[in-house]
mmCIF file with all atom_site columns, all heavy atoms in Angstrom:
data_model
loop_
_atom_site.group_PDB
_atom_site.id
_atom_site.type_symbol
_atom_site.label_atom_id
_atom_site.label_alt_id
_atom_site.label_comp_id
_atom_site.label_asym_id
_atom_site.label_entity_id
_atom_site.label_seq_id
_atom_site.pdbx_PDB_ins_code
_atom_site.Cartn_x
_atom_site.Cartn_y
_atom_site.Cartn_z
_atom_site.occupancy
_atom_site.B_iso_or_equiv
_atom_site.pdbx_formal_charge
_atom_site.auth_seq_id
_atom_site.auth_comp_id
_atom_site.auth_asym_id
_atom_site.auth_atom_id
_atom_site.pdbx_PDB_model_num
ATOM 1   N N   . PRO F 1 8  ? 75.968 85.972 95.766 1.00 0.00 ? 11 PRO F N   1
ATOM 2   C CA  . PRO F 1 8  ? 75.959 84.917 96.660 1.00 0.00 ? 11 PRO F CA  1
ATOM 3   C C   . PRO F 1 8  ? 77.226 84.057 96.569 1.00 0.00 ? 11 PRO F C   1
ATOM 4   O O   . PRO F 1 8  ? 77.844 84.225 95.511 1.00 0.00 ? 11 PRO F O   1
ATOM 5   C CB  . PRO F 1 8  ? 74.694 84.057 96.409 1.00 0.00 ? 11 PRO F CB  1
ATOM 6   C CG  . PRO F 1 8  ? 73.774 85.002 95.666 1.00 0.00 ? 11 PRO F CG  1
ATOM 7   C CD  . PRO F 1 8  ? 74.719 85.894 94.911 1.00 0.00 ? 11 PRO F CD  1
ATOM 8   N N   . PRO F 1 9  ? 77.381 83.042 97.499 1.00 0.00 ? 12 PRO F N   1
ATOM 9   C CA  . PRO F 1 9  ? 78.529 82.107 97.386 1.00 0.00 ? 12 PRO F CA  1
ATOM 10  C C   . PRO F 1 9  ? 78.637 81.348 96.239 1.00 0.00 ? 12 PRO F C   1
ATOM 11  O O   . PRO F 1 9  ? 77.393 81.042 95.574 1.00 0.00 ? 12 PRO F O   1
ATOM 12  C CB  . PRO F 1 9  ? 78.419 81.273 98.699 1.00 0.00 ? 12 PRO F CB  1
ATOM 13  C CG  . PRO F 1 9  ? 77.597 82.084 99.680 1.00 0.00 ? 12 PRO F CG  1
ATOM 14  C CD  . PRO F 1 9  ? 76.691 82.931 98.796 1.00 0.00 ? 12 PRO F CD  1
ATOM 15  N N   . GLU F 1 10 ? 79.734 80.901 95.626 1.00 0.00 ? 13 GLU F N   1
ATOM 16  C CA  . GLU F 1 10 ? 79.805 80.077 94.498 1.00 0.00 ? 13 GLU F CA  1
ATOM 17  C C   . GLU F 1 10 ? 80.760 78.888 94.800 1.00 0.00 ? 13 GLU F C   1
ATOM 18  O O   . GLU F 1 10 ? 81.758 78.974 95.536 1.00 0.00 ? 13 GLU F O   1
ATOM 19  C CB  . GLU F 1 10 ? 80.506 80.845 93.303 1.00 0.00 ? 13 GLU F CB  1
ATOM 20  C CG  . GLU F 1 10 ? 79.782 82.155 92.885 1.00 0.00 ? 13 GLU F CG  1
ATOM 21  C CD  . GLU F 1 10 ? 78.652 81.990 91.913 1.00 0.00 ? 13 GLU F CD  1
ATOM 22  O OE1 . GLU F 1 10 ? 78.364 80.884 91.616 1.00 0.00 ? 13 GLU F OE1 1
ATOM 23  O OE2 . GLU F 1 10 ? 78.207 83.038 91.332 1.00 0.00 ? 13 GLU F OE2 1
ATOM 24  N N   . MET F 1 11 ? 80.481 77.801 94.124 1.00 0.00 ? 14 MET F N   1
ATOM 25  C CA  . MET F 1 11 ? 81.336 76.640 94.147 1.00 0.00 ? 14 MET F CA  1
ATOM 26  C C   . MET F 1 11 ? 81.693 76.103 92.665 1.00 0.00 ? 14 MET F C   1
ATOM 27  O O   . MET F 1 11 ? 80.915 76.183 91.821 1.00 0.00 ? 14 MET F O   1
ATOM 28  C CB  . MET F 1 11 ? 80.674 75.408 94.841 1.00 0.00 ? 14 MET F CB  1
ATOM 29  C CG  . MET F 1 11 ? 81.592 74.190 94.964 1.00 0.00 ? 14 MET F CG  1
ATOM 30  S SD  . MET F 1 11 ? 80.889 72.984 96.025 1.00 0.00 ? 14 MET F SD  1
ATOM 31  C CE  . MET F 1 11 ? 81.156 73.729 97.649 1.00 0.00 ? 14 MET F CE  1
ATOM 32  N N   . ARG F 1 12 ? 82.994 75.945 92.450 1.00 0.00 ? 15 ARG F N   1
ATOM 33  C CA  . ARG F 1 12 ? 83.457 75.614 91.111 1.00 0.00 ? 15 ARG F CA  1
ATOM 34  C C   . ARG F 1 12 ? 84.474 74.599 91.230 1.00 0.00 ? 15 ARG F C   1
ATOM 35  O O   . ARG F 1 12 ? 85.149 74.267 92.120 1.00 0.00 ? 15 ARG F O   1
ATOM 36  C CB  . ARG F 1 12 ? 84.041 76.823 90.436 1.00 0.00 ? 15 ARG F CB  1
ATOM 37  C CG  . ARG F 1 12 ? 83.200 78.007 90.077 1.00 0.00 ? 15 ARG F CG  1
ATOM 38  C CD  . ARG F 1 12 ? 82.257 77.662 89.031 1.00 0.00 ? 15 ARG F CD  1
ATOM 39  N NE  . ARG F 1 12 ? 81.439 78.976 88.513 1.00 0.00 ? 15 ARG F NE  1
ATOM 40  C CZ  . ARG F 1 12 ? 80.282 79.228 89.159 1.00 0.00 ? 15 ARG F CZ  1
ATOM 41  N NH1 . ARG F 1 12 ? 79.833 78.469 90.108 1.00 0.00 ? 15 ARG F NH1 1
ATOM 42  N NH2 . ARG F 1 12 ? 79.756 80.274 88.749 1.00 0.00 ? 15 ARG F NH2 1
ATOM 43  N N   . LYS F 1 13 ? 84.564 73.752 90.056 1.00 0.00 ? 16 LYS F N   1
ATOM 44  C CA  . LYS F 1 13 ? 85.647 72.795 89.955 1.00 0.00 ? 16 LYS F CA  1
ATOM 45  C C   . LYS F 1 13 ? 86.914 73.444 89.479 1.00 0.00 ? 16 LYS F C   1
ATOM 46  O O   . LYS F 1 13 ? 86.896 74.565 88.803 1.00 0.00 ? 16 LYS F O   1
ATOM 47  C CB  . LYS F 1 13 ? 85.148 71.767 88.933 1.00 0.00 ? 16 LYS F CB  1
ATOM 48  C CG  . LYS F 1 13 ? 84.052 70.931 89.429 1.00 0.00 ? 16 LYS F CG  1
ATOM 49  C CD  . LYS F 1 13 ? 83.750 69.798 88.573 1.00 0.00 ? 16 LYS F CD  1
ATOM 50  C CE  . LYS F 1 13 ? 82.386 69.008 88.974 1.00 0.00 ? 16 LYS F CE  1
ATOM 51  N NZ  . LYS F 1 13 ? 82.480 68.577 90.323 1.00 0.00 ? 16 LYS F NZ  1
ATOM 52  N N   . PRO F 1 14 ? 88.045 72.889 89.626 1.00 0.00 ? 17 PRO F N   1
ATOM 53  C CA  . PRO F 1 14 ? 89.299 73.358 89.143 1.00 0.00 ? 17 PRO F CA  1
ATOM 54  C C   . PRO F 1 14 ? 89.235 73.492 87.705 1.00 0.00 ? 17 PRO F C   1
ATOM 55  O O   . PRO F 1 14 ? 88.724 72.693 86.951 1.00 0.00 ? 17 PRO F O   1
ATOM 56  C CB  . PRO F 1 14 ? 90.319 72.275 89.598 1.00 0.00 ? 17 PRO F CB  1
ATOM 57  C CG  . PRO F 1 14 ? 89.740 71.582 90.750 1.00 0.00 ? 17 PRO F CG  1
ATOM 58  C CD  . PRO F 1 14 ? 88.198 71.583 90.526 1.00 0.00 ? 17 PRO F CD  1
ATOM 59  N N   . GLY F 1 15 ? 89.885 74.685 87.197 1.00 0.00 ? 18 GLY F N   1
ATOM 60  C CA  . GLY F 1 15 ? 89.753 74.935 85.795 1.00 0.00 ? 18 GLY F CA  1
ATOM 61  C C   . GLY F 1 15 ? 88.732 75.767 85.331 1.00 0.00 ? 18 GLY F C   1
ATOM 62  O O   . GLY F 1 15 ? 88.768 76.439 84.240 1.00 0.00 ? 18 GLY F O   1
ATOM 63  N N   . ALA F 1 16 ? 87.642 75.837 86.150 1.00 0.00 ? 19 ALA F N   1
ATOM 64  C CA  . ALA F 1 16 ? 86.465 76.655 85.749 1.00 0.00 ? 19 ALA F CA  1
ATOM 65  C C   . ALA F 1 16 ? 86.668 78.146 86.032 1.00 0.00 ? 19 ALA F C   1
ATOM 66  O O   . ALA F 1 16 ? 87.718 78.455 86.490 1.00 0.00 ? 19 ALA F O   1
ATOM 67  C CB  . ALA F 1 16 ? 85.249 76.159 86.526 1.00 0.00 ? 19 ALA F CB  1
ATOM 68  N N   . SER F 1 17 ? 85.621 78.905 85.730 1.00 0.00 ? 20 SER F N   1
ATOM 69  C CA  . SER F 1 17 ? 85.679 80.502 85.921 1.00 0.00 ? 20 SER F CA  1
ATOM 70  C C   . SER F 1 17 ? 84.576 80.752 86.827 1.00 0.00 ? 20 SER F C   1
ATOM 71  O O   . SER F 1 17 ? 83.480 80.004 86.976 1.00 0.00 ? 20 SER F O   1
ATOM 72  C CB  . SER F 1 17 ? 85.537 81.104 84.578 1.00 0.00 ? 20 SER F CB  1
ATOM 73  O OG  . SER F 1 17 ? 86.424 80.829 83.726 1.00 0.00 ? 20 SER F OG  1
ATOM 74  N N   . VAL F 1 18 ? 84.706 81.928 87.585 1.00 0.00 ? 21 VAL F N   1
ATOM 75  C CA  . VAL F 1 18 ? 83.695 82.461 88.449 1.00 0.00 ? 21 VAL F CA  1
ATOM 76  C C   . VAL F 1 18 ? 83.736 83.925 88.136 1.00 0.00 ? 21 VAL F C   1
ATOM 77  O O   . VAL F 1 18 ? 84.587 84.488 87.890 1.00 0.00 ? 21 VAL F O   1
ATOM 78  C CB  . VAL F 1 18 ? 83.986 82.060 89.906 1.00 0.00 ? 21 VAL F CB  1
ATOM 79  C CG1 . VAL F 1 18 ? 85.080 82.786 90.386 1.00 0.00 ? 21 VAL F CG1 1
ATOM 80  C CG2 . VAL F 1 18 ? 82.814 82.404 90.703 1.00 0.00 ? 21 VAL F CG2 1
ATOM 81  N N   . LYS F 1 19 ? 82.335 84.429 88.206 1.00 0.00 ? 22 LYS F N   1
ATOM 82  C CA  . LYS F 1 19 ? 82.219 85.972 88.041 1.00 0.00 ? 22 LYS F CA  1
ATOM 83  C C   . LYS F 1 19 ? 81.417 86.468 89.146 1.00 0.00 ? 22 LYS F C   1
ATOM 84  O O   . LYS F 1 19 ? 80.236 85.939 89.510 1.00 0.00 ? 22 LYS F O   1
ATOM 85  C CB  . LYS F 1 19 ? 81.440 86.280 86.732 1.00 0.00 ? 22 LYS F CB  1
ATOM 86  C CG  . LYS F 1 19 ? 81.370 87.689 86.425 1.00 0.00 ? 22 LYS F CG  1
ATOM 87  C CD  . LYS F 1 19 ? 80.941 87.795 84.922 1.00 0.00 ? 22 LYS F CD  1
ATOM 88  C CE  . LYS F 1 19 ? 81.003 89.345 84.540 1.00 0.00 ? 22 LYS F CE  1
ATOM 89  N NZ  . LYS F 1 19 ? 80.652 89.452 83.087 1.00 0.00 ? 22 LYS F NZ  1
ATOM 90  N N   . VAL F 1 20 ? 81.998 87.411 90.039 1.00 0.00 ? 23 VAL F N   1
ATOM 91  C CA  . VAL F 1 20 ? 81.373 87.930 91.221 1.00 0.00 ? 23 VAL F CA  1
ATOM 92  C C   . VAL F 1 20 ? 80.983 89.296 90.928 1.00 0.00 ? 23 VAL F C   1
ATOM 93  O O   . VAL F 1 20 ? 81.679 90.152 90.243 1.00 0.00 ? 23 VAL F O   1
ATOM 94  C CB  . VAL F 1 20 ? 82.299 87.882 92.299 1.00 0.00 ? 23 VAL F CB  1
ATOM 95  C CG1 . VAL F 1 20 ? 81.704 88.448 93.581 1.00 0.00 ? 23 VAL F CG1 1
ATOM 96  C CG2 . VAL F 1 20 ? 82.799 86.363 92.621 1.00 0.00 ? 23 VAL F CG2 1
ATOM 97  N N   . SER F 1 21 ? 79.698 89.704 91.307 1.00 0.00 ? 24 SER F N   1
ATOM 98  C CA  . SER F 1 21 ? 79.289 91.071 91.078 1.00 0.00 ? 24 SER F CA  1
ATOM 99  C C   . SER F 1 21 ? 79.219 91.884 92.424 1.00 0.00 ? 24 SER F C   1
ATOM 100 O O   . SER F 1 21 ? 79.102 91.303 93.491 1.00 0.00 ? 24 SER F O   1
ATOM 101 C CB  . SER F 1 21 ? 77.915 90.983 90.469 1.00 0.00 ? 24 SER F CB  1
ATOM 102 O OG  . SER F 1 21 ? 76.925 90.529 91.346 1.00 0.00 ? 24 SER F OG  1
ATOM 103 N N   . CYS F 1 22 ? 79.187 93.134 92.259 1.00 0.00 ? 25 CYS F N   1
ATOM 104 C CA  . CYS F 1 22 ? 79.255 94.065 93.327 1.00 0.00 ? 25 CYS F CA  1
ATOM 105 C C   . CYS F 1 22 ? 78.315 95.379 92.993 1.00 0.00 ? 25 CYS F C   1
ATOM 106 O O   . CYS F 1 22 ? 78.817 96.097 92.161 1.00 0.00 ? 25 CYS F O   1
ATOM 107 C CB  . CYS F 1 22 ? 80.674 94.514 93.663 1.00 0.00 ? 25 CYS F CB  1
ATOM 108 S SG  . CYS F 1 22 ? 81.007 95.824 94.798 1.00 0.00 ? 25 CYS F SG  1
ATOM 109 N N   . LYS F 1 23 ? 77.207 95.422 93.623 1.00 0.00 ? 26 LYS F N   1
ATOM 110 C CA  . LYS F 1 23 ? 76.335 96.488 93.271 1.00 0.00 ? 26 LYS F CA  1
ATOM 111 C C   . LYS F 1 23 ? 76.448 97.613 94.310 1.00 0.00 ? 26 LYS F C   1
ATOM 112 O O   . LYS F 1 23 ? 76.295 97.419 95.513 1.00 0.00 ? 26 LYS F O   1
ATOM 113 C CB  . LYS F 1 23 ? 74.800 95.952 93.360 1.00 0.00 ? 26 LYS F CB  1
ATOM 114 C CG  . LYS F 1 23 ? 73.783 97.000 93.470 1.00 0.00 ? 26 LYS F CG  1
ATOM 115 C CD  . LYS F 1 23 ? 73.473 97.685 92.131 1.00 0.00 ? 26 LYS F CD  1
ATOM 116 C CE  . LYS F 1 23 ? 72.329 98.615 92.246 1.00 0.00 ? 26 LYS F CE  1
ATOM 117 N NZ  . LYS F 1 23 ? 72.243 99.406 90.904 1.00 0.00 ? 26 LYS F NZ  1
#
Side-chain angles (χ1 to χ4, degrees):
Chain F
E13 303 270 14
M14 181 173 287
R15 294 286 187 275
K16 294 188 184 303
S20 299
V21 69
K22 192 169 186 176
V23 180
S24 66
C25 172
K26 167 73 174 173

